[in-house]
Amino acid sequence: MTLFLCGDVMLGRGIDQILPHPLDPALRERYVDGAGDYVALAEAANGPVPRPVDFSWPWGDALDVLAAAAPDARIVNLETSVTGSDQFAAGKAVHYRMNPANLPCLAAARPDVCVLANNHALDFGLPGLEQTLGALRGAGLQVAGGGLDAQQARRPATVRAGHARVLVFACGATSSGIPLDWAATEDRAGLDVVPELSEDGAERLAERIRRHKRPGDVAVISIHWGSNWGYEIPAEQIRFAHTLVDNGADVVHGHSSHHPRPMEVYRDRLILYGCGDCVNDYEGIGGYERYRDDLRLLYLASVAPTGALLGLRMAPMQARRLRLRHARAEDTEHLRTVLSTVSARFDVRIDVTADGMLAASRGS
């Protein structure tokens, strides 16, 4: 089967403002007054953005890539509250929300599972999370990593792919900025939060894999972890990912970083340590240009019924005017060079294919 995986999908703030049903743009950020300022930054960098745009606009050329690939399961990290609440969570520098009426924008990419275990799912408190869960459920979209109680937050989402199943477990580590008190309890909504990336934490997650996984199932562990910038992978992340694979995980889908991080094939299983951003309003924001966070990747992993990785292709995209477009050849080569360099420690090589995609393979 083929799995589509991507990093952070943030449809709030500036993206919400250009869609047909924008919320009140007021923000509580240090450097800007309102969400419209992010649209202005993007326009100053790359040209005017029409308003309102069609719901498919932010995805741009990515929709053609997905249509051609026809993946069996589509898994995204939804880093936005879907709520009209104005209860800004205290102590947070940034809050992301989108109008539930703009959900057709998310639905345009036809995600099968929206991961909520991240550091923005409760930007508008428990009411915002509860509204998010209801809105996604009403749109027919499955969630993983969040729920009305701990049992729901820990339950895997299930995607049917022919006679097989894809089980999507999701959790978030405090190293990504998720507060411990966002964790769901027996009688309170919240997220599946991992306090530390320890052997015990991995074993608890592995126990859930063993409990739910049946022969022929493919188990995906989607985890929000680590810092926003840099290519170094902490030893604790590597140990945690390896322990999960040793205990039945077939794909480790890591996210939180604003740019793609190294990847590994361990025991024939794919580990993505950081997928980078996918859709957001970060254009025109300076300070980290050397990481080229304007370049994005759509990950298409081919997986055998045993869970072994058969191949990984990645579609290089670039964010321009709050929309994804195909990356230029020179930018694709930049991604190839960087990813080959940083993934070499895991014996992974990246090549450009004849159709302009990136492909991962073992060995140098």
Side-chain angles (χ1 to χ4, degrees):
M1 65 181 71
T2 299
L3 308 178
F4 164 59
L5 306 161
C6 72
D8 300 348
V9 173
M10 195 281 284
L11 301 177
R13 214 168 56 177
I15 300 293
D16 183 72
Q17 290 301 297
I18 66 171
L19 293 172
H21 308 289
L23 288 168
D24 182 342
L27 297 175
R28 298 182 183 178
E29 297 185 16
R30 179 185 244 177
Y31 299 108
V32 302
D33 294 323
D37 292 348
Y38 287 98
V39 181
L41 285 169
E43 291 182 320
N46 296 310
V49 177
R51 275 171 272 182
V53 298
D54 183 85
F55 286 120
S56 65
W57 173 276
W59 297 97
D61 294 335
L63 295 183
D64 292 334
V65 173
L66 292 175
D72 298 286
R74 306 182 184 207
I75 303 162
V76 306
N77 175 49
L78 180 62
E79 202 165 29
T80 306
S81 294
V82 185
T83 177
S85 171
D86 60 1
Q87 295 185 34
F88 288 76
K92 292 211 72 196
V94 177
H95 301 81
Y96 296 152
R97 64 175 173 176
M98 66 179 293
N99 192 336
N102 283 329
L103 258 183
C105 179
L106 176 62
R110 294 169 49 205
D112 292 293
V113 180
C114 298
V115 171
L116 297 184
N118 57 61
N119 59 314
H120 288 288
L122 273 84
D123 277 357
F124 290 84
L126 290 177
L129 175 63
E130 291 166 359
Q131 290 173 33
T132 299
L133 292 167
L136 294 174
R137 183 171 57 248
L141 300 174
Q142 291 195 74
V143 303
L148 295 176
D149 55 35
Q151 183 178 5
Q152 285 188 14
R154 294 169 183 164
R155 182 184 303 152
T158 303
V159 182
R160 296 281 178 179
H163 296 295
R165 300 190 308 171
V166 180
L167 303 180
V168 182
F169 301 80
C171 61
T174 55
S175 60
S176 69
I178 302 175
L180 267 176
D181 61 6
W182 283 16
T185 66
E186 291 184 3
D187 56 3
R188 187 187 67 191
L191 311 179
D192 184 19
V193 179
V194 179
E196 57 183 356
L197 298 176
S198 64
E199 185 174 342
D200 286 345
E203 179 54 37
R204 285 192 293 271
L205 186 52
E207 165 56 26
R208 285 167 27 210
I209 299 172
R210 291 191 291 266
R211 191 184 328 136
H212 290 277
K213 188 178 180 183
R214 303 196 301 247
D217 289 345
V218 170
V220 177
I221 312 301
S222 189
I223 180 168
H224 205 65
W225 57 5
S227 61
N228 290 333
W229 306 101
Y231 296 105
E232 284 300 313
I233 307 301
E236 63 179 7
Q237 285 190 11
I238 298 172
R239 287 194 299 268
F240 198 84
H242 287 187
T243 300
L244 293 177
V245 171
D246 291 341
N247 287 277
D250 299 304
V251 176
V252 178
H253 171 220
H255 36 82
S256 179
S257 60
H258 287 319
H259 57 85
R261 279 186 167 147
M263 58 195 70
E264 180 180 13
V265 181
Y266 170 72
R267 297 185 62 181
D268 294 326
R269 268 56 178 180
L270 175 63
I271 301 173
L272 299 171
Y273 284 105
C275 289
D277 292 329
C278 187
V279 177
N280 59 27
D281 64 355
Y282 293 176
E283 285 177 63
I285 302 174
Y288 294 92
E289 288 84 353
R290 69 190 182 97
Y291 292 109
R292 292 297 309 274
D293 63 312
D294 61 312
L295 301 180
R296 317 290 169 81
L297 288 174
L298 311 177
Y299 297 80
L300 297 163
S302 297
V303 181
T306 60
L309 181 69
L310 299 177
L312 174 65
R313 285 164 55 85
M314 296 160 281
M317 313 299 293
Q318 186 176 41
R320 281 292 180 271
R321 300 167 61 223
L322 302 180
R323 189 171 190 265
L324 295 181
R325 71 177 190 185
H326 293 293
R328 298 172 301 179
E330 56 265 39
D331 291 325
T332 297
E333 176 59 24
H334 171 81
L335 283 168
R336 185 204 68 76
T337 300
V338 170
L339 285 175
S340 282
T341 300
V342 301
S343 299
R345 65 175 290 194
F346 297 113
D347 196 30
V348 170
R349 169 180 171 171
I350 310 297
D351 294 297
V352 180
T353 65
D355 59 356
M357 301 275 279
L358 297 176
S361 59
R362 296 291 299 276
S364 54

